[in-house]
Amino acid sequence: MDPRYRVLPRPRSFNLSTSLWAGEGKAHDKCNNIQPGADPVEIFPFVKFEEQRIINFNDYLDDFPDVYFLDLVQRICIITEVKECLNERRQIIRRKMTNAPHSEWKRFREWALVLMSCQISAKEQGLEDGWKWGNVVHDLSTVAQFTRRDKMMASVDLFEICELINWMSTVNSHLYPFLRSQLPLRTHISKQKIVDATHTAYKVGICQNRLWNLTVGGGEREEVDLPILMMMVEERFAQFLKHRGQENHESCNAEVCRFGSIDSTRVKQLHKCPAKDCGKPLLFPPSEFEKPYKRFIWWTDDIENTKNAAYVVKEESQRQYMAISHVWSDGTGGGVQGKNLVNRCLWTYFKGVAQTLGCTAIWWDTICIPSERIARQKAIGKMHENFKQAAHTIIHDQYLVQLPWTEDGNPCLALLLSPWFTRAWTSLELMMTGKEKVSVIFRHPNDPTQYVIKNLKNDILAHHPAFFSRGHWVASSLLTQLREQQFHCIGDIFKLLKTKSTSWPRDLMVVAAIMTGHDPKVETPGFIAHTTREIILSLVEIEESFLYHGHATMTQKGGFSWCPFSLLDGAVLTNTDRPERVYVDEDGAVCGDWAYRALSIEDAKKVQPYSFHISVDWQIRVALERWKKCQLLQNTHNINMQALLVVHLDVGTCKICGTDYIILEASYIGTVYANLEWGDSYSASIRLGKLSSDPDQSAEQLVDKYYDTKGPRIIGRPWQKHLHSIKQARRQNSGTAGRVLSQGL
């Protein structure tokens, strides 16, 4: 038997006073745990007990029905033989880990700190064997994930234990990205903590919609992160996190914020002067703006606007200006006092910010976007380029401006909860700005009349999970995820836009187009449908669940006759790791491998339409009257009662990556509820949206014809290894540059 593997006998019962050390390391000049060439003990997946090899961890648990979670954690710590490390460098690192999660099980926390400090030091010294200790943390994560027996103890909070394990796992993946684990903290342990977190948020006055949006489009652990974030809220800081007073947001729920879609163009413009009266507003004449679109800025040394014209940005001067990322709802938009008028104190305020950042000019949409319709549409479609080319982008949000700066991570949490974070346009602006160039305005910690400017990357975000608080790291990860978001599927787009708002609904599709590398032709009829087609074709493959939408389709026959009019009407889970993907060809037909089920006359009576419009409901009911022509489709991982209702038309071939696959041609009818037994269902390669003729044979006859036809079938995703080259070819053919926004910034 390999000596690295140990017998894991029946663990002893958990005891807080049991030592977890294998002794005290004597060496001061080297690590007592991580030695070159020495491997740590491996516990799982191989466990030996009474000469019987147990491969599955759950089999091991079955042998010990009265063994609990803490018993196993304690045993793993002991059997790995971690020593107290006296190495000076390791001790310095350990003393810096004051923000590691706390626990009443102090021996386990000390054990975790020693193991992590040894790993960090080994990484810094370039020791290649440090990563192997990540397997120990993986073993603990396995126990936390699969052990469902939790003997509650008054002295130990299981949530805290699991957070320590998650903290170790996060440090491991930060040091060695290939060790990244996506196993979340178990919901049954965190359930009450999540309830408590939402209650804390409500009492503080935090909008429930903004809070829960952090989970919809948020991190790997989704709602499990809420308790960690709310643990950051201290009593002295809670008053600053309140959203406009609790009386305003108390009617918001997890799904809807009552302020999410207000017309911010009607908000009175903000005054920065104490008297709220600084004389006649400054006029920024728009005459130059009506010309073909160029990038305009305004000089900061021209407060009286004596030059009387905007300055056209040229290549040699474009790095001189500051772009303002803001929300109109707090009064930094055009307001109601008239076009191109700005309060003198507000201009002076932004002038001071720009000069502090070393900029001599300002780009601000309030005074840099033309009012003429066509020119304005073109300017909005290219607005993101102003942030890409700016020397600095400054985030201004009154919610943040009134928040005193602290070094404890609360400003990072406040940024997530701010109105600025809820807007689609500001999300795009963040994505387009270089990582080093984004700064945020906060209130001075000691002088309420002054402000401080903090760099997002250097001052606000946590840099290492071992040395910053768990909540600070989670909040930083959510912000980093937003600015580095890549769009490989519809779920990636939904993850961002489903939690964001705009003053005008159409703007969401404008942002979606820009994010995915397309020119939003907002002035053309059918802009939304056109953009939906462009995005889907550029993705090449989409989630199969997108087809279960219940809306009227973009076309009645042929390409995209399975697709809703708007991309945002589709039905996609934001968990983009699900394997059910289908291929979209250049004509807008969709191909994939589906499980199918024939219908009987009794089945047809049980099937119910899933629809958001009476026309969809009617179309499904008419099709079911010809039930012999219909079949139901599902993917093999479908766990609900929904299915696709289709009419088979013929048998044909579908060319994907040079291979002609035999397929069943079918017409998409809609989504239905089908509470039917599927039994031993079979799968077939099916294409939706190619043919449009009426079938002259029954579905059963066409399926028989399909099986009688020789040739390859679509199994899995045969296009996957060619996905990148297909995307590149389509972008070239469409004239779209395409991009991943986080690259090159």
Side-chain angles (χ1 to χ4, degrees), residues 446-465:
N446 301 318
D447 186 351
T449 65
Q450 300 296 317
Y451 62 81
V452 293
I453 300 173
K454 294 296 179 179
N455 184 269
L456 178 63
K457 179 182 178 183
N458 299 329
D459 302 321
I460 299 173
L461 299 181
H463 303 141
H464 198 296

Side-chain angles (χ1 to χ4, degrees), residues 47 54-55 103 125 131 197 281 300 377 395 524 556 558 626 709:
V47 179
I54 302 174
I55 303 301
S103 173
Q125 295 175 350
W131 70 268
T300 57
Q377 289 175 344
I395 295 174
T524 59
Q556 290 297 310
R626 300 191 301 164
T709 306

Side-chain angles (χ1 to χ4, degrees), residues 383-395:
M383 190 164 63
H384 58 288
E385 295 180 3
N386 299 297
F387 293 87
K388 186 175 182 179
Q389 301 298 336
H392 289 278
T393 289
I394 191 72
I395 295 174

Side-chain angles (χ1 to χ4, degrees), residues 71-85:
D71 303 335
L72 288 168
V73 173
Q74 175 181 267
R75 184 58 184 169
I76 290 175
C77 293
I78 292 173
I79 207 169
T80 50
E81 297 183 348
V82 174
K83 300 180 180 66
E84 291 186 86
C85 190

Side-chain angles (χ1 to χ4, degrees), residues 348-363:
T348 302
Y349 178 86
F350 283 132
K351 169 188 171 182
V353 173
Q355 292 175 339
T356 300
L357 293 172
C359 295
T360 56
I362 291 174
W363 187 93

Side-chain angles (χ1 to χ4, degrees), residues 165-210:
I165 295 173
N166 275 303
W167 173 76
M168 287 189 285
S169 181
T170 304
V171 174
N172 264 310
S173 61
H174 183 77
L175 296 174
Y176 308 101
F178 59 87
L179 291 177
R180 183 173 181 170
S181 172
Q182 296 191 3
L183 295 178
L185 180 67
R186 294 168 298 155
T187 304
H188 72 284
I189 282 181
S190 56
K191 187 182 301 182
Q192 186 57 46
K193 296 289 185 180
I194 295 170
V195 172
D196 294 343
T198 59
H199 288 168
T200 298
Y202 183 81
K203 287 192 294 185
V204 169
I206 293 173
C207 174
Q208 291 290 306
N209 177 251
R210 294 184 191 175

